[in-house]
Amino acid sequence: MANQSRRVAIKNLVAGTAALGTANVLSSFTTSEETKSTALKGNINHAVCRWCYGSIPLDEFAAAAKKMGISAIDLVGPKDWPTLQKYGVFSSMCNGAEINLVDGWNDKKFHAQLIKNYTEMIPLVAKAGYKNLICFSGNRRGIDDETGWNNCAEGLKQIMSIAEKNNVIIVMELLNSKVNHKDYQCDKTAWGVELAKRIGSENFKLLYDIYHMQIDEGDVIRTIKDNHQYIAHYHTGGVPGRNEIDETQELYYPAIMKAILDTGFKGYVAQEFIPNRKTNEEKLVSLEKAIKICDV
């Protein structure tokens, strides 16, 4: 599981991954945790990415997340929004309009499909009361930076008026191209910022994934402070390995969270690490620990 990529995990989720015995596990977890204080400081809006916990049915995962103080879940599409709403959990980063992670806005041959997808999805996001909708640059496939910027800007500008009308932010994720997403074009903060400048809309911003950017560029805190006005959302993950964000990895997340708060950020920080644990109960314990680490 530690080496499982996001695209494989999402594929498994879409295919309807089932977990045996999860109900009893989660029942045990919530019962044993009832006497613990879940009071958080309220400075960070905590979220978690759904795909990292695909072995746990969404109903039970949403309930467990809510109990530990997580107010939102990332990367959930329209069919699962009613489940989140049932538990009073927000959809902090919506998905479902993208083709995939490699076929994106940097290649004009995908524009017609992407424009159709986002034109249809943006009003659904707004109607549900949500704000952020994810997008991806796509892989280079020999496309140079200038062409990539021009193609992305040309395509995205065709949906920005719809996003602005519906008060929805189109958020492009920064992914590393060194380890996990070979050839991905938007693999540096500077690349994403330049694209944002060319689009010139407050309804286009970046998803700064701390794990990915530590791998591809480092200097996380300085980069966040220098570019925070272009960032709508954050993801976490332990480096190396994308596992727990505790003392087993190289980043010190309390300092990073403090830096994010210092910029005046009011959005969501979503946990996107893959728990290096065997049981669902242990995975949820890791998640709760991560929330506490980030609750500065």
Side-chain angles (χ1 to χ4, degrees):
M1 185 64 178
N3 295 321
Q4 186 178 29
S5 70
R6 180 198 295 180
R7 70 171 66 91
V8 173
I10 291 177
K11 183 178 179 181
N12 288 340
L13 280 177
V14 172
T17 303
L20 297 176
T22 306
N24 289 337
V25 167
L26 290 182
S27 175
S28 173
F29 172 80
T30 53
T31 299
S32 65
E33 294 298 300
E34 280 178 355
T35 59
K36 286 189 177 181
S37 172
T38 58
L40 300 174
K41 296 177 182 177
N43 298 320
I44 297 287
N45 291 317
H46 296 286
V48 59
C49 289
R50 168 65 180 140
W51 75 272
C52 302
Y53 301 85
S55 63
I56 306 175
L58 183 56
D59 267 279
E60 296 166 22
F61 182 60
K66 181 75 171 181
K67 185 173 182 62
M68 66 179 72
I70 295 171
S71 58
I73 297 178
D74 266 25
L75 304 176
V76 174
K79 72 180 181 63
D80 288 322
W81 291 343
T83 302
L84 298 192
Q85 292 162 356
K86 180 168 67 173
Y87 293 95
V89 176
F90 195 71
S91 181
S92 42
M93 182 58 65
C94 302
N95 69 347
E98 71 279 8
I99 297 173
N100 51 52
L101 276 65
V102 302
D103 301 330
W105 290 97
N106 66 341
D107 193 326
K108 290 184 179 182
K109 71 182 178 184
F110 302 120
H111 281 187
Q113 185 63 56
L114 287 167
I115 290 168
K116 178 179 183 296
N117 291 358
Y118 281 83
T119 298
E120 293 173 354
M121 184 66 74
I122 289 169
L124 297 180
V125 172
K127 184 178 180 180
Y130 302 138
K131 187 82 172 179
N132 295 329
L133 179 59
I134 201 166
C135 75
F136 301 96
S137 68
N139 282 13
R140 289 179 179 271
R141 298 188 178 99
I143 297 172
D144 61 78
D145 282 344
E146 189 64 32
T147 302
W149 282 321
N150 288 338
N151 288 351
C152 282
E154 179 181 321
L156 284 161
K157 283 181 178 179
Q158 295 183 62
I159 65 167
M160 291 318 300
S161 62
I162 303 169
E164 290 164 356
K165 178 182 177 181
N166 286 275
N167 198 29
V168 168
I169 300 175
I170 306 301
V171 188
M172 182 172 286
E173 184 165 12
L174 298 159
L175 303 174
N176 84 75
S177 60
K178 180 180 179 181
V179 176
N180 301 100
H181 302 283
K182 302 287 188 179
D183 203 44
Y184 186 74
Q185 188 149 38
C186 188
D187 62 347
K188 301 287 191 302
T189 304
W191 200 95
V193 167
E194 176 61 24
L195 176 60
K197 290 178 178 178
R198 294 187 183 206
I199 292 173
S201 171
E202 285 298 309
N203 289 73
F204 177 84
K205 291 188 181 293
L206 303 175
L207 194 170
Y208 185 91
D209 189 301
I210 299 163
Y211 162 80
H212 286 298
M213 291 301 95
Q214 169 69 359
I215 290 172
D216 259 18
E217 63 186 22
D219 203 12
V220 169
I221 289 177
R222 188 196 310 272
T223 302
I224 288 171
K225 289 185 174 180
D226 289 349
N227 299 283
H228 65 90
Q229 65 269 39
Y230 300 103
I231 299 170
H233 199 76
Y234 291 90
H235 280 171
T236 75
V239 181
R242 199 180 199 152
N243 300 127
E244 278 77 0
I245 62 169
D246 55 20
E247 66 281 355
T248 62
Q249 52 92 53
E250 67 190 32
L251 291 164
Y252 185 64
Y253 270 93
I256 297 171
M257 294 300 109
K258 177 65 164 55
I260 290 172
L261 285 180
D262 286 347
T263 68
F265 182 71
K266 301 297 184 185
Y268 285 88
V269 175
Q271 301 295 330
E272 198 186 24
F273 66 90
I274 301 171
N276 190 19
R277 301 291 184 265
K278 292 182 179 180
T279 70
N280 288 329
E281 182 176 26
E282 291 171 332
K283 292 173 184 178
L284 290 172
V285 170
S286 281
L287 176 58
E288 185 170 26
K289 180 177 179 182
I291 294 299
K292 291 178 179 177
I293 288 171
C294 290
D295 195 51
V296 298

